Amino acid sequence: MAIVEIDHLFIFVDTPKEGDTPAEAHRLQSAGFVESYRRNHPGQGTTNICYCFDNAYIELLWVNNTSDITSSLIRETKLFERSQWKETATSPFGIALRPEMPFDTWDYRAPYLPQGMSIPVTTTSLDARQPFIFTSPGGKRPDHWREPRPLQQKAPIGCHTITSISLSVPESYPSNNDLDTLEEQGVLRQNRDTTTHKMVLELADKNGQATHYLDLPSCRVTNTL
């Protein structure tokens, strides 16, 4: 079975007022995080802000066009339902893997990608209660990108890598064989003794020493020292 690793993680946040950024972005900035880049996804109806570490990145994602995200092109992704997770109890999380996934997938032909290109998405992701698991179109660590973006190692918080991921899934929800496989491979840890969706990331310095924990979806940062 192919060994995979985390490429990036997304979390749906509330759509901010025009010209503003999400409250979660303000919270990360206050904690010392530096924004790496942001972009729109034409045709998908979403916008993001990304925070890059050496080995992976975090993506805050929100809806900018309800008509696009509820269109027939996007409907199967359940991205709109996921964006409404506070009301629908769906999973707000996306887990992008690289280089390729050893799971059953379907092809999401995202409108913003070049013609003929698609994103493999796990069939378990058809259930919006489960995380949206997919193969990243990029496929390289941020510190290996041809066009480097600002990395968190340059931020006052001093974090270089995401070293562990703990994912909480409501215990009443069906088990997910794909998540079980990722746990067996050491990609993440699961916790099902919960009633809510939650993710906790361990962040480390250049020596691999844990320095902070990042709680998602709240984006609250805790210093481990």
Side-chain angles (χ1 to χ4, degrees), residues 21 23-35 51 156 219 221:
T21 55
E24 291 82 357
H26 289 298
R27 200 168 293 143
L28 290 175
Q29 182 179 357
S30 296
F33 281 67
V34 172
E35 176 185 326
Y51 302 85
C219 288
V221 181

Side-chain angles (χ1 to χ4, degrees), residues 10-59:
F10 76 62
I11 166 67
F12 266 109
V13 298
D14 292 338
T15 301
K17 294 180 180 180
E18 186 174 356
D20 199 1
T21 55
E24 291 82 357
H26 289 298
R27 200 168 293 143
L28 290 175
Q29 182 179 357
S30 296
F33 281 67
V34 172
E35 176 185 326
S36 299
Y37 69 96
R38 63 177 68 193
R39 65 177 292 199
N40 293 320
H41 302 116
Q44 181 175 279
T46 56
T47 297
N48 69 18
I49 297 178
C50 297
Y51 302 85
C52 296
F53 299 85
D54 287 2
N55 62 333
Y57 65 94
I58 302 164
E59 175 184 8

Side-chain angles (χ1 to χ4, degrees), residues 10-144:
F10 76 62
I11 166 67
F12 266 109
V13 298
D14 292 338
T15 301
K17 294 180 180 180
E18 186 174 356
D20 199 1
T21 55
E24 291 82 357
H26 289 298
R27 200 168 293 143
L28 290 175
Q29 182 179 357
S30 296
F33 281 67
V34 172
E35 176 185 326
S36 299
Y37 69 96
R38 63 177 68 193
R39 65 177 292 199
N40 293 320
H41 302 116
Q44 181 175 279
T46 56
T47 297
N48 69 18
I49 297 178
C50 297
Y51 302 85
C52 296
F53 299 85
D54 287 2
N55 62 333
Y57 65 94
I58 302 164
E59 175 184 8
L60 303 186
L61 188 67
W62 66 90
V63 177
N64 66 25
N65 189 309
T66 302
S67 296
D68 283 349
I69 200 172
T70 56
S71 69
S72 59
L73 291 173
I74 314 301
R75 188 173 301 139
E76 201 166 17
T77 65
K78 307 293 198 306
L79 287 177
F80 181 69
E81 290 83 351
R82 297 172 188 281
S83 74
Q84 306 298 303
W85 59 271
K86 293 179 180 178
E87 290 76 34
T88 60
T90 51
S91 174
F93 298 123
I95 302 174
L97 303 171
R98 59 174 188 254
E100 296 179 355
M101 298 185 297
F103 308 133
D104 292 332
T105 62
W106 58 277
D107 289 333
Y108 168 43
R109 303 191 185 283
Y112 58 88
L113 292 177
Q115 187 173 4
M117 187 176 180
S118 62
I119 298 174
V121 180
T122 61
T123 54
T124 59
S125 300
L126 294 170
D127 182 349
R129 296 172 298 177
Q130 303 289 346
F132 189 77
I133 305 175
F134 60 105
T135 296
S136 173
K140 292 184 179 181
R141 295 165 48 114
D143 60 357
H144 291 172

